[in-house]
Amino acid sequence: MEFMLTEALPIYSGGLGNVAGDQMKAASDLGVPVVGVGLLWGQGYFRQDFNADGRQRALYPVNDPGQLPIQPSAVRMESGCGCRFNFQERRFGCDVGR
């Protein structure tokens, strides 16, 4: 899933990612417990740039977890609906709230 929480965490491409992020922020404002599970790719969504000739080029920034507003998480995640998320890969967490 993609959701836009902040521009500093590029795990969204736009449109629906913005809507999903707004839903998560609204849940936080209402005190509703919510868990968002997304993927952090080594190279994120491309950024559009133009060269001197006016031609579009796609830039693929490297997502370095050490430079993003996330922290390694060793906590096993459980949701209120009885779902358990137990991943074998590295886990990162991000506290969201206003």
Side-chain angles (χ1 to χ4, degrees):
M1 177 179 176
E2 65 177 69
F3 36 86
M4 192 258 195
L5 302 173
T6 174
E7 290 182 20
L9 187 58
I11 60 170
Y12 66 97
S13 62
L16 294 177
N18 288 334
V19 173
D22 288 345
Q23 294 296 316
M24 292 185 72
K25 292 173 189 174
S28 173
D29 290 346
L30 295 171
V32 176
V34 129
V35 174
V37 177
L39 299 175
L40 177 62
W41 299 101
Q43 285 189 316
Y45 294 101
F46 80 92
R47 301 244 195 275
Q48 180 177 315
D49 190 27
F50 296 93
N51 65 15
D53 298 331
R55 294 182 164 225
Q56 177 184 336
R57 60 183 178 168
L59 304 174
Y60 292 89
V62 174
N63 286 330
D64 177 5
Q67 300 297 315
L68 297 173
I70 56 177
Q71 298 175 1
S73 174
V75 177
R76 183 174 161 180
M77 297 179 288
E78 292 189 30
S79 72
C81 65
C83 300
R84 291 186 179 151
F85 304 98
N86 205 5
F87 299 103
Q88 300 303 316
E89 301 297 321
R90 293 190 316 174
R91 288 177 261 179
F92 296 93
C94 176
D95 288 332
V96 178
R98 295 184 182 193

